[in-house]
Amino acid sequence: MSSSTVYPRHSLRTIGLCFFVALLEGLDLQATGIAAPYMASEFGLSPASLGWLFSAGLIGLLPGAVLGGGLADRYGRKSVLIAAVILFGLFSLLTAHSSTYEGLLAARLVTGLGLGAALPILIALSSETVDEHLRSTAVSLTYCGVPLGGALAGLLGMLSVSGDWRLVFYVGGIAPLLIALLLTLWLPESRAYQGRSGAGLSMPLRAMASSLFSQGRGRGTLLLWASCFLTLTTLYMLLNWLPTLLLERGMSRLDVATIQVLFNVGGAAGTLLAGFLMDRQKSFMAVALAYLGMLVSLAALGTADQLQWLLLAGLLAGACAVGGQLILYALAPRMYPADIRATGVGVAVAVGRLGSMTGPLVAGQLLAAGTGVGGLLLAASPVVVLAAVTAAGLINRNGAEIGLADLPKA
């Protein structure tokens, strides 16, 4: 069977464009971490000031995800996505041209708004462009761009040998503006959005949010939020603290950078595997592999001494942590009808972002209390178990998601 039979041409074009936007999103999400040492030197920033700079972008992600999803349900996926991409492209460029610390904070905050708005639309668009039995794979093909973008950010950081921290922001600013042009020319509007009921056109955002709990969707929505929060707590603890923890164990910066790249490459592979399994009615297997793998990789990162085992643990940690996130992002659009789909995905993404802020903060407090590397990773284990339980709660014994049988088809 040819790929054009499985994925019509318009579907391949939509998934491809969404992938490139996700790639740029992943690049920008890790850009500040890559540039931080050089920015601290140029602006004379303390660790506390750097922390606020990291947080500014994350703070913008929360309202961005909620507003982006809600606006996409009212005004169309295509137009709101293009606006979001232009927004984070322009303010990434502004980051590179900021001459004050306050300017950096403002630029990263608004960049986060654009990034936050884009992600739920990408998930909704990719899930709506294919038949139901291929939705998880389509979402995984799009979302694997995020970890690959993180790997690209790491490579750009290695190329900045002269200490020019602006390079990663120039790439993260110019490329989205070019992609926005391609989206305008080539991205088709979602057929599910075009064919939805007319009620959603005039539905207030507050009513759209409350509808996430109507028609028997309340339990599934709460489970989705809980699992998103817990999974991203673990994922961002690893993303933010893993380099520091490995350096404290005596590893060289080159080895740490290699593990970071493997973490992101593993994340891309994990998303594709999770999507493949879910579309073949093996959602329980996907959940078991992802969360059990997280526990194993956390233990290995905390106890392994030889480099080759740490490299393998970094690869596995990325595959399982990012793969676990993909499982939730693939489930979310299947839980809601087209009228509120992007809203449902957006709110779930926003709740997950709360976890992405909580994980690094809690990890910092535990390390300050003297738990050490092993103690920190051990403390993360109950969070992983709870995330697995809530993710499994979204799936019934037949591998179908809660509420799907009662939802109208897109």
Side-chain angles (χ1 to χ4, degrees):
M1 181 179 293
S2 66
S3 60
S4 61
T5 301
V6 177
Y7 292 113
R9 182 172 299 177
H10 72 86
S11 297
L12 290 173
R13 185 165 67 245
T14 296
I15 293 171
L17 290 169
C18 288
F19 166 82
F20 281 112
V21 176
L23 185 80
L24 296 173
E25 175 141 352
L27 185 151
D28 199 284
L29 285 172
Q30 297 195 32
T32 305
I34 298 296
Y38 307 114
M39 297 167 78
S41 176
E42 180 171 327
F43 288 90
L45 302 181
S46 66
S49 297
L50 269 182
W52 278 109
L53 192 59
F54 293 141
S55 298
L58 292 175
I59 291 171
L61 293 171
L62 272 77
V66 176
L67 288 174
L71 292 174
D73 277 334
R74 294 193 69 179
Y75 301 111
R77 319 292 196 230
K78 178 177 179 176
S79 58
V80 180
L81 177 61
I82 292 171
V85 171
I86 291 174
L87 187 67
F88 77 71
L90 287 176
F91 279 86
S92 184
L93 286 175
L94 188 59
T95 302
H97 286 278
S98 296
S99 57
T100 65
Y101 175 63
E102 292 74 18
L104 286 174
L105 285 176
R108 298 318 296 160
L109 178 65
V110 183
T111 302
L113 285 172
L115 293 169
L119 184 57
I121 304 174
L122 296 176
I123 295 169
L125 264 174
S126 56
S127 72
E128 291 171 345
T129 195
V130 296
D131 293 335
E132 186 173 342
H133 68 284
L134 292 171
R135 285 183 177 179
S136 296
T137 301
V139 173
S140 71
L141 287 170
T142 292
Y143 191 72
C144 73
V146 174
L148 290 178
L152 179 59
L155 293 175
L156 287 172
M158 293 179 186
L159 292 175
S160 301
V161 292
S162 62
D164 185 6
W165 57 269
R166 293 172 175 82
L167 174 62
V168 69
F169 293 108
Y170 278 126
V171 174
I174 294 172
L177 299 181
L178 296 176
I179 289 294
L181 177 61
L182 298 182
L183 293 173
T184 302
L185 295 173
W186 292 342
L187 181 67
E189 181 56 272
S190 165
R191 290 177 300 172
Y193 170 78
Q194 293 175 326
R196 69 194 187 139
S197 66
L201 293 172
S202 58
M203 188 185 299
L205 292 179
R206 180 178 297 180
M208 294 170 71
S210 64
S211 64
L212 302 180
F213 293 90
S214 63
Q215 299 180 27
R217 288 187 286 264
R219 181 188 172 205
T221 293
L222 291 175
L223 286 171
L224 176 66
W225 289 1
S227 195
C228 282
F229 179 87
L230 295 166
T231 301
L232 267 77
T233 294
T234 306
L235 174 60
Y236 276 81
M237 183 198 75
L238 289 171
L239 283 175
N240 285 270
W241 282 103
L242 185 58
T244 301
L245 297 176
L246 294 174
L247 286 171
E248 288 182 357
R249 295 192 61 189
M251 298 187 65
S252 69
R253 291 189 178 273
L254 179 60
D255 289 339
V256 171
T258 302
I259 291 175
Q260 283 183 282
V261 171
L262 287 174
F263 184 95
N264 284 294
V265 171
T271 62
L272 295 175
L273 177 60
F276 176 86
L277 290 173
M278 293 177 69
D279 277 337
R280 280 148 186 82
Q281 302 300 313
K282 296 181 180 178
S283 298
F284 274 123
M285 181 182 293
V287 169
L289 289 175
Y291 290 96
L292 181 60
M294 268 192 259
L295 291 173
V296 172
S297 59
L298 286 172
L301 288 170
T303 60
D305 293 322
Q306 297 182 348
L307 177 61
Q308 61 267 31
W309 291 113
L310 287 170
L311 293 173
L312 182 60
L315 183 71
L316 180 63
C320 296
V322 183
Q325 187 179 10
L326 179 278
I327 292 170
L328 303 173
Y329 286 168
L331 288 175
R334 300 170 70 174
M335 292 172 57
Y336 305 107
D339 286 350
I340 58 169
R341 181 168 294 138
T343 300
V345 175
V347 176
V349 169
V351 172
R353 295 302 184 190
L354 289 173
S356 73
M357 292 188 292
T358 301
L361 290 173
V362 172
Q365 294 298 317
L366 289 173
L367 289 171
T371 59
V373 177
L376 173 62
L377 297 178
L378 181 63
S381 298
V383 179
V384 175
V385 173
L386 286 174
V389 170
T390 52
L394 286 168
I395 306 167
N396 67 22
R397 293 188 179 183
N398 295 320
E401 286 70 35
I402 286 176
L404 276 182
D406 301 325
L407 293 180
K409 299 297 181 184

